[in-house]
Amino acid sequence: MSNNVCDLTSKQCKPCEGGVPPLSGAEVSAFLQQIEGWQLQDKQISKAYVFKNYYQTMAFVNAVAWISHREDHHPDMLVGYNQCVVTYTTHAIGGLSENDFICAAKIDKLFSI
């Protein structure tokens, strides 16, 4: 992975109350190249994480909740026995913001530990 991911993981999310445009298609494409395995679907990005068992899945969900609380940017999560699908979008602007990619990179870093 490139150094850009490190750049994303070192950033903090900025409060977003709306009134700013979502990222352009070119900006989204550039950010997507910095996070592995995330898929663009309409105005959101998502990724499925697979685990050995329910305990590992729930530990991951709780860690994502902690990151989300610290960044004040919260994903949708679909949780099953051994997987969790994480989806980010910035509801306040009706599309993707840099915050979505910052959090995605931080979750990827967590998952790689």
Side-chain angles (χ1 to χ4, degrees):
M1 200 57 37
S2 70
N3 288 339
N4 291 334
V5 170
C6 293
D7 292 343
L8 281 174
T9 60
S10 68
K11 291 184 174 186
Q12 295 294 124
C13 290
K14 297 175 181 80
C16 183
E17 302 298 327
V20 296
L23 295 174
S24 69
E27 291 169 318
V28 168
S29 292
F31 277 125
L32 274 174
Q33 292 182 20
Q34 298 177 48
I35 54 175
E36 190 174 328
W38 288 81
Q39 302 295 316
L40 176 64
Q41 299 168 331
D42 195 22
K43 297 178 181 182
Q44 59 190 19
I45 55 171
S46 64
K47 182 173 181 177
Y49 294 89
V50 178
F51 303 92
K52 291 181 183 177
N53 55 47
Y54 186 73
Y55 175 79
Q56 288 182 358
T57 304
M58 293 312 296
F60 175 79
V61 167
N62 286 322
V64 170
W66 182 80
I67 290 170
S68 301
H69 176 71
R70 286 197 49 155
E71 296 297 330
D72 196 23
H73 193 68
H74 306 91
D76 289 329
M77 291 189 278
L78 180 60
V79 180
Y81 170 78
N82 70 338
Q83 72 174 349
C84 178
V85 178
V86 180
T87 302
Y88 275 105
T89 189
T90 303
H91 298 285
I93 61 173
L96 291 164
S97 71
E98 185 179 27
N99 290 349
D100 300 308
F101 294 94
I102 290 170
C103 287
K106 288 184 179 197
I107 291 171
D108 280 348
K109 184 176 180 181
L110 167 75
F111 186 72
S112 69
I113 295 174

